[in-house]
Amino acid sequence: MADQPASIHLFADVLARVHVICAALAKEGGWPDGTDFSRVVVEPSREASHGDMATNAAMVLAKEARTKPRDLAEAIAARLRNDALIAKVDIAGPGFINLTLKPQAWADALRTVLREGGAYGRTTASATARVNVEYVSANPTGPMHVGHCRGAVFGDALANLLAFAGRDVTREYYINDAGAQVDVLGRSAFLRYREALGEQISIPEGLYPGDYLKPVGQALAAEHGDRLRSMPEAEWLPIARDKAIAMMMDEIKGDLAALNIHHDVFFSERSLITDGHNKVAETIEFLRERGDVYEGRLPPPKGAPVEDWEDREQLLFRATAYGDDVDRPLIKSNGSYTYFASDIANHKNKFDRGFADLIDVFGADHGGYIKRMQAAVKAVTAGKATLDVKIVQLVKLLRNGEPVKMSKRAGDFVTLREVVDEVGRDAVRFMMLYRKNDAVLDFDLAKVIEQSKDNPVFYVQYGHARGHSVFRKAREVVPHLPEQTAPRTAYLANTAIDRLSDPAELELLKRLALYPRIIEGAAGAHEPHRIAFYLYDLASELHALWNKGHDLPYLRFIISDDPELTKARLAMVQGVVSVLASGLAILGVHAPDEMR
């Protein structure tokens, strides 16, 4: 079955009903024109004993209604009690309204899952602004390491999530191919070039020692022979540097492809100053015309040293006018631009390309960079663009609880490719997302391939595979059950789903009904880990129900003498399988039909 256009889902449906009641009360009570109903929410109840859902409508609208929240709650509750969807309404505390829905609501929610298939939870009408997600952006000075891996997976899953939630997403990699570090790369590659020509070399402090540059040296030797040795550094350095950058970027793209990560745009930092005109200088002039740069001195930093502080008169960006703690230098004492100046130009360039919604994924060591970048974006876009910076914390690589030794090839770190080759793409992607991005992650190479409940990626994938195993076994009772997903989903959508009445079954249906809201919340907060957490909870409920069926025969998915109840339970399993597949796709993880 092809994906169908998304329809209104259960939480949104109940919220719409609350809005209609509040709007009617507003009209009858003469509330102020333009009363803001967007503050009203309908959320899952925090405790099952409080019902299925809760709304804050009376709490946030009491001022406009010129009444006490409790009194307004009574008025709203009186009308909700007449709603055919709602079984019970209670008022708690100062005015929260708790709702219990009729079982039919959950059966209808499952029908929605089956009807919409892969479109369930998808949003088609969302923010009109295009979204630019910049992630990875590792310096092209070597292969990607496991720390880069987390930012790459996070950024890619976030882009998937935003696209699923209806945003127009562009995935961007900012190539840091300007500045001192790429000159160091060029000198390191030149040493490997001399080595390829037969020289004995030693790598001095400050250059890159990893064996990964040997192929670059060999390529330079094959292409140029020994001609580079007779050139002055000013001539051979750009040749060695550009070759090394190109080969390192090819390797980085290969590493990313191993994780099924691909970008729409690879934007060169160097292009800001070399592609016909100097965009960094233009950006500085743009800021100067608006009074946002000036010549001045910065006070000495308090506490730890600041990398870009110099005790001199210099060109400064008036960052404090836009929320930063201190103004920021734009030009170094040697006349070159600061990294920050290039970053301002990069973000102005994004805005000029039509992006007003910007997301940057930064590494753990860039926390102090957030305020200045947000200040810069405010300045160069006149406040028309927003920048959300997501910090991805460190990864501690372990094996059975012990730190993993460094890579021989890389010299001083473990490469991304080594990790993917050892445990597989799915384990890497899921586990990199199974913790909030700004929390340190312990990644144990032994634990992530265990086949147990303690290994979340296995447990979720096993849930999907277990669902398909149920379908295979069910054909003894339901011989006409289609093998293919689309016709099977359509077939099961017309079953007697209302026969699902056990509390454990209803809890599973409630979990399925929550998925669109999880998508909406995760996309709005830019937090793909919420999807991983939800999938684990959903798979856990399926496994729990399976296990109950072993002890309680009436709860088994397949009832040999009751094909109609079997089909209803197969519809429930199909709903779980569909949502697991959808969520895993957002995370970039395979949904297997069988586990081997």
Side-chain angles (χ1 to χ4, degrees), residues 271-284 337 345:
S271 72
L272 291 169
I273 57 175
T274 59
D275 282 1
H277 52 281
N278 188 325
K279 291 186 174 67
V280 181
E282 290 177 3
T283 300
I284 292 174
Y337 299 117

Side-chain angles (χ1 to χ4, degrees), residues 10-64:
L10 190 54
F11 279 86
D13 183 9
V14 174
L15 177 60
R17 294 168 189 240
V18 172
H19 277 176
V20 168
I21 289 172
C22 291
L25 290 172
K27 185 176 180 180
E28 295 166 11
W31 296 8
D33 291 339
T35 296
D36 181 12
F37 295 114
S38 67
R39 296 170 293 157
V40 176
V41 298
V42 170
E43 301 176 310
S45 295
R46 295 184 180 180
E47 296 183 26
S49 61
H50 293 168
D52 300 317
M53 300 179 181
T55 179
N56 65 345
M59 301 295 294
V60 299
L61 297 176
K63 183 177 179 180
E64 286 84 349

